[in-house]
Amino acid sequence: MGIKLKNELKERHEVQFNKVYRKQLLQVLSAAIIYTALGVAVYLLTANLLRQFAGQNELLSQIAAWIELHRELGALVYIMVGYGAILLYYWNKPFQYLNEVLNATENIFQHKNELIELSAPLKDAEIYLNKLKISVQNNEHAAQEAEQRKNDLIAYLAHDLKTPLTSVIGYLSLLDEAPDMPVEQKAKYVHITLDKAKRLEKLINEFFEITRYNLQNTSLEKETIDLYYMLVQMTDEFYPVLSAHENKIKLDANEDLTVYGDSVKLARVFNNILKNAISYSYPGTEIIVSAKATDASVKIAFCNHGETIPSSKLNSIFEKFFRLDETRATNTGGAGLGLAIAKEIITLHGGSITAESENEITTFFVTLPISC
């Protein structure tokens, strides 16, 4: 449980217990008043009855005289016994409530489906603790799913490493065993070996990407950034990939756009989004990158034409190790970290990143503050 969540829980418990204590105090006062009134009423009624019948019965006369003689002592004993019982009863109540809450807090982290139940005065705390329990369970479930996706991905990568490595070794062995191989055939084998080696390098980089994500301690070095120039530079760098996919990028932004942030990390965000847009665009289509400033922020949109992302998957694309198209295996897809890292970086900047997809148009929206 994070510090913020602990503080929130502590504040809520303090408020709840303040309410309980106030209610307890009112109940103690009410019980004391009722007990006192009842004692006075019983005393007056008894004394009145004894006076009425004292002349008719000598025993009753003696009892009435004894009561009058020891009236103060009797009242003191009555008050001490009654008030003591009342205080003892209500003194234990807060400790019972505290014990309930402590047990309920332990129940939050237990893998049980039963909801928390508390006494009537603690219903507000009960509602909050049940919400907290559900939230913790959902977070644990999401973490387990992410861990499973990561393990599956590593298994795929480990398996896929064998194929290009076997090919590289095989073709290099042929080249080594046949030094007098014809030039054309040798060039062909060298070309195939180089392609397999590049594929092997890409898979190894996937492993490094996973390791970096797990070990990174992200910090920002903020400065005023020429956003327009950065976007122009990014689109130029993607020219070879765009040409291979027969895609083009259209940039729609004012030249005076600036944002306040970490230029290296924001470049990584835009790089990840553009790679995703190119990878899932139809060949020969245009990718539109637009940016527009408001009073305090800049909104950047990356729009591509490709298959519509189902809403069920659209809600998960920013999760760690989530791969939109599992059928691609590790052939063209990445480790499923690009968009998760992008979201983390944008959140650290105090911005937001969202996605929409309908009618074969997918758009990623990034909002960033103009200044600190």
Side-chain angles (χ1 to χ4, degrees):
M1 195 188 301
I3 294 175
K4 184 178 179 182
L5 191 57
K6 285 184 177 179
N7 290 336
E8 183 181 351
L9 182 59
K10 181 180 178 182
E11 290 175 2
R12 284 180 176 266
H13 282 174
E14 287 177 353
V15 172
Q16 181 65 31
F17 276 109
N18 285 336
K19 291 181 180 178
V20 172
Y21 276 119
R22 286 196 296 268
K23 187 174 182 180
Q24 291 287 96
L25 181 59
L26 289 175
Q27 288 178 345
V28 169
L29 292 175
S30 299
I33 292 171
I34 293 172
Y35 180 77
T36 303
L38 181 62
V40 173
V42 169
Y43 168 75
L44 293 175
L45 179 62
T46 303
N48 187 45
L49 289 174
L50 288 172
R51 288 193 197 100
Q52 289 181 11
F53 298 101
Q56 303 173 13
N57 188 302
E58 184 178 350
L59 178 61
L60 292 178
S61 178
Q62 291 176 355
I63 293 174
W66 187 89
I67 291 176
E68 286 296 328
L69 182 63
H70 299 89
R71 180 174 56 185
E72 290 79 7
L73 178 62
L76 181 61
V77 172
Y78 178 83
I79 290 174
M80 289 179 63
V81 172
Y83 283 17
I86 292 172
L87 289 175
L88 183 62
Y89 175 80
Y90 285 103
W91 175 264
N92 288 328
K93 279 287 185 180
F95 293 102
Q96 294 174 6
Y97 294 151
L98 179 60
N99 190 51
E100 283 189 55
V101 172
L102 290 175
N103 291 335
T105 304
E106 292 179 1
N107 187 25
I108 290 175
F109 301 98
Q110 295 176 354
H111 299 283
K112 296 180 180 179
N113 295 325
E114 296 87 355
L115 291 177
I116 295 169
E117 294 184 4
L118 299 177
S119 300
L122 299 175
K123 285 302 176 184
D124 289 344
E126 177 187 301
I127 293 171
Y128 174 73
L129 289 174
N130 279 318
K131 288 181 180 179
L132 186 61
K133 180 181 176 70
I134 293 171
S135 176
V136 168
Q137 289 177 339
N138 290 339
N139 290 338
E140 288 180 350
H141 182 66
Q144 289 172 357
E145 286 187 343
E147 185 68 18
Q148 185 60 47
R149 285 197 296 266
K150 182 189 73 172
N151 293 338
D152 291 344
L153 178 64
I154 291 176
Y156 296 151
L157 290 172
H159 177 268
D160 287 353
L161 280 171
K162 297 178 182 178
T163 303
L165 182 60
T166 302
S167 298
V168 168
I169 294 173
Y171 281 108
L172 287 177
S173 297
L174 289 174
L175 291 170
D176 183 62
E177 294 169 359
D180 56 346
M181 184 182 295
V183 175
E184 294 80 6
Q185 188 177 5
K186 182 182 291 185
K188 177 182 177 181
Y189 286 174
V190 168
H191 179 72
I192 294 173
T193 303
L194 181 61
D195 284 345
K196 298 298 182 181
K198 288 180 177 179
R199 174 64 188 145
L200 187 61
E201 180 187 35
K202 182 178 179 181
L203 290 170
I204 292 172
N205 286 336
E206 297 287 353
F207 274 113
F208 285 136
E209 185 76 359
I210 294 171
T211 304
R212 282 197 299 269
Y213 188 91
N214 288 337
L215 299 180
Q216 67 181 346
N217 183 16
T218 307
S219 59
L220 301 179
E221 297 180 5
K222 291 186 175 182
E223 60 183 344
T224 301
I225 302 169
D226 186 335
L227 180 61
Y228 178 80
Y229 176 75
M230 176 182 281
L231 292 174
V232 169
Q233 192 176 31
M234 295 288 297
T235 55
D236 289 342
E237 290 174 357
F238 274 97
Y239 179 77
V241 182
L242 289 165
S243 298
H245 283 256
E246 299 178 355
N247 296 120
K248 292 181 179 180
I249 291 182
K250 177 183 177 182
L251 178 59
D252 180 15
N254 293 330
E255 296 184 8
D256 60 349
L257 277 179
T258 60
V259 292
Y260 186 74
D262 187 316
S263 59
V264 174
K265 290 183 173 60
L266 286 180
R268 188 179 187 186
V269 170
F270 301 148
N271 182 283
N272 288 347
I273 296 175
L274 280 172
K275 279 199 300 186
N276 187 80
I278 295 169
S279 179
Y280 291 97
S281 288
Y282 292 141
T285 59
E286 191 173 56
I287 298 170
I288 300 174
V289 180
S290 60
K292 185 178 180 181
T294 61
D295 292 338
S297 62
V298 173
K299 191 170 187 177
I300 309 115
F302 302 82
C303 181
N304 69 283
H305 188 196
E307 290 186 16
T308 301
I309 302 174
S311 57
S312 57
K313 292 187 175 182
L314 194 63
N315 295 329
S316 304
I317 58 175
F318 295 108
E319 295 178 6
K320 292 184 294 183
F321 309 110
F322 178 81
R323 296 161 61 80
L324 183 61
D325 189 355
E326 294 293 344
T327 60
R328 295 189 178 201
T330 53
N331 232 6
T332 57
L337 286 173
L339 294 178
I341 292 172
K343 182 177 181 179
E344 180 178 311
I345 292 172
I346 295 301
T347 301
L348 284 173
H349 278 81
S352 63
I353 179 170
T354 57
E356 296 178 358
S357 186
E358 57 182 2
N359 300 324
E360 297 187 321
I361 299 294
T362 299
T363 307
F364 285 85
F365 297 101
V366 175
T367 304
L368 290 166
I370 294 176
S371 59
C372 57

